Amino acid sequence: MSYDKALNRVLDTVKPHIGEGQVADYIPALAKVPPQRFGFAIYGCDGDISSIGDADVAFSIQSISKAFALAFVMSGRNPADIWRRVWREPSGTPFNSTVQLESDNGVPRNPFINAGALVITDMLVSDHGPGGAIAAILGFMQLISGAQSVSIDKEVAASELATGHKNYGLAHTLKSFGNLENDVDDVMRVYAHQCALTMTASQLAAAGVFLARGGYDPIRKSQVTSNEVVRRVNALMLTCGHYDAAGDFAFRVGLPGKSGVGGGILAIIPDQASLAVWSPGLDQYGNSLVGTLALETFVEVTGTEIL
Ligand code: GLU
């Protein structure tokens, strides 16, 4: 089935549900996003591109940025240096949970819960400096999406910094266990700006295609990172990409995927395509309700073989 046909089938299925779920409001600037949005874009490994709905409307990618930050950091570091500071196990807890970090002696369960992402951001700050880390991750996203218009929404970043008490708590706990090299304020500033990256579903699908092609970027015809890094990022997306609903997402969709509280989800079909869907209403776990339904429908109607 062609991607266009599959996307039309997806839209037929999700249409009655568009607007369902709760738009994230714990970051006040995100609460303003209209819940009726829905966009879905596909970037095939063979260059076949297709999209439907609001695929060219920019949104806050939030935690989807964690998958890219991890790939970026892994590309420049010795693996042992990373994996002694963060584990690779699903946490079974909400994205911003503080409960495990203390009993786990300051070592987060995985790089996609907020505690683990803060450790990865700390590495970004160590590698590029407090002044250069934001520009480094923005430049990486512009490069791999092929879009200079990818930007950071300063209002969203400021809004998160003004209200991110739990994340500050996590960062201070990490620091108290010696698992943060840089100042809490520097790490938090970079983390909030990274989460405030603003992209369209079409740009996000393009940015993710190297994860479907063993690290090769068909847009620029160059290797972005190694196959080994991609294999590991995809494994973590499959097992930990949806917080305490990671198992349910794997059961329903079966693809490596990473969600964000802005309502976006990036999903990868290895050797085939990168998929990006956006619908701002979230389920109780902080994952896009209609976005998950859209991906589930996509794999069903296309008969995608997963593993
Ligand atoms: N910036 C958000 C936070 O730390 C990201 C959460 C998410 O997208 O799941 O709360």
Side-chain angles (χ1 to χ4, degrees):
M1 181 186 295
S2 73
Y3 287 152
D4 281 346
K5 197 161 174 202
L7 287 183
N8 278 302
R9 297 268 300 272
V10 168
L11 186 58
D12 287 346
T13 302
V14 303
K15 210 175 231 161
H17 301 282
I18 292 175
E20 289 177 6
Q22 209 61 42
V23 174
D25 56 6
Y26 75 99
I27 299 174
L30 292 182
K32 294 193 254 174
V33 178
Q36 296 295 333
R37 297 292 202 180
F38 174 77
F40 195 147
I42 305 176
Y43 203 108
C45 288
D46 52 5
D48 195 4
I49 301 169
S50 189
S51 66
I52 202 160
D54 298 314
D56 293 319
V57 178
F59 64 93
S60 191
I61 71 166
Q62 291 295 315
S63 283
I64 301 170
S65 66
K66 294 171 182 174
F68 294 104
L70 179 65
F72 189 50
V73 164
M74 282 180 77
S75 303
R77 276 189 174 236
N78 178 346
D81 185 38
I82 299 173
W83 303 115
R84 71 183 165 80
R85 295 181 56 190
V86 56
W87 294 347
R88 308 177 294 248
E89 292 299 332
S91 71
T93 59
F95 64 96
N96 57 1
S97 175
T98 56
V99 290
Q100 287 166 340
L101 193 59
E102 178 85 26
S103 54
D104 288 344
N105 294 316
V107 180
R109 291 279 167 110
N110 67 68
F112 293 155
I113 50 170
N114 288 6
L118 285 163
V119 171
I120 300 300
T121 300
D122 182 53
M123 294 179 191
L124 210 58
V125 176
S126 295
D127 294 347
H128 299 275
I134 295 171
I137 190 71
L138 175 62
F140 180 63
M141 296 310 291
Q142 289 171 334
L143 180 82
I144 59 175
S145 62
Q148 283 301 311
S149 60
V150 169
S151 63
I152 287 171
D153 186 328
K154 298 254 165 60
E155 189 195 342
V156 171
S159 187
E160 173 155 5
L161 284 172
T163 56
H165 307 299
K166 272 203 152 188
N167 289 338
Y168 274 104
L170 290 167
H172 280 290
T173 306
L174 290 164
K175 188 82 183 169
S176 76
F177 279 102
N179 200 4
L180 216 60
E181 288 172 355
N182 299 282
D183 284 350
V184 164
D185 286 339
D186 286 336
V187 175
M188 279 295 298
R189 195 171 50 81
V190 174
Y191 174 80
H193 282 76
Q194 168 198 310
C195 289
L197 275 159
T198 294
M199 300 174 76
T200 68
S202 299
Q203 291 167 345
L204 193 57
V209 77
F210 78 96
L211 294 170
R213 287 213 49 182
Y216 180 75
D217 172 359
I219 307 172
R220 266 155 310 281
K221 301 192 187 341
S222 66
Q223 198 73 23
V224 172
T225 187
S226 67
N227 184 48
E228 188 182 320
V229 166
V230 164
R231 182 164 60 88
R232 296 195 156 135
V233 171
N234 282 346
L236 287 163
M237 287 208 292
L238 184 68
T239 53
C240 311
H242 282 70
Y243 312 117
D244 39 347
D248 194 56
F249 184 84
F251 180 81
R252 290 177 60 190
V253 179
L255 297 174
K258 184 71 206 83
S259 66
V261 292
I265 304 176
L266 173 74
I268 302 299
I269 310 177
D271 288 332
Q272 275 188 52
S274 161
L275 317 176
V277 63
W278 173 52
S279 180
L282 307 178
D283 62 19
Q284 77 258 42
Y285 302 107
N287 301 313
S288 174
L289 194 145
V290 171
T292 307
L293 178 64
L295 289 166
E296 184 179 24
T297 308
F298 180 86
V299 295
E300 272 169 21
V301 300
T302 53
T304 300
E305 286 182 20
I306 311 295
L307 297 169

